[in-house]
Amino acid sequence: MSNRLDDAAIEVRAAAGSIADHGQKAIMDVAAIAERAITDAAKTAERALRDGLDTLRAQAKTYAGGAGDNVDTAQRYVMDRVKQRPVTATLTGLGIGLLIGLLLSNKPK
């Protein structure tokens, strides 16, 4: 009977070792799959971010070009008005300068 118990114990130990080996292999397989999935997700996120930045750059260039055109148009308009009415433009500039000076010098006491 003792031999049978010893043999059974040996078989149980062998089975436990085999289960542990299979469990460790399964864990390593899951870790490898998870690592691949995370790497793929990171690459996809990087691609999406890069594409978004490229789109943003293109739109920014478009808007910057439009803003530059608007500034040029406004500058031409102001220059035409100053040439047409130099005295009015000068007095307007002085008035605006005086108003800004008063607002900036009005310190709370």
Side-chain angles (χ1 to χ4, degrees):
M1 177 103 149
S2 178
N3 276 344
R4 281 187 173 173
L5 288 176
D6 289 340
D7 290 343
I10 291 171
E11 286 180 31
V12 167
R13 284 188 192 126
S18 177
I19 289 171
D21 289 343
H22 287 299
Q24 186 177 10
K25 184 180 180 326
I27 290 172
M28 291 176 69
D29 290 345
V30 167
I33 291 169
E35 183 179 358
R36 281 193 300 271
I38 290 170
T39 301
D40 291 345
K43 287 178 182 177
T44 301
E46 182 182 0
R47 251 184 267 121
L49 184 60
R50 189 177 302 124
D51 292 345
L53 286 174
D54 290 344
T55 302
L56 184 62
R57 280 190 196 112
Q59 289 176 348
K61 286 180 183 178
T62 301
Y63 291 132
D69 293 342
N70 290 340
V71 168
D72 291 340
T73 303
Q75 183 180 7
R76 275 188 249 113
Y77 175 79
V78 169
M79 292 303 293
D80 289 343
R81 294 294 173 225
V82 169
K83 286 178 184 177
Q84 288 175 359
R85 297 186 178 133
V87 174
T88 304
T90 302
L91 291 175
T92 302
L94 286 173
I96 291 172
L98 180 64
L99 181 62
I100 291 173
L102 288 173
L103 289 172
L104 291 176
S105 68
N106 190 11
K107 297 179 184 175
K109 295 178 182 181

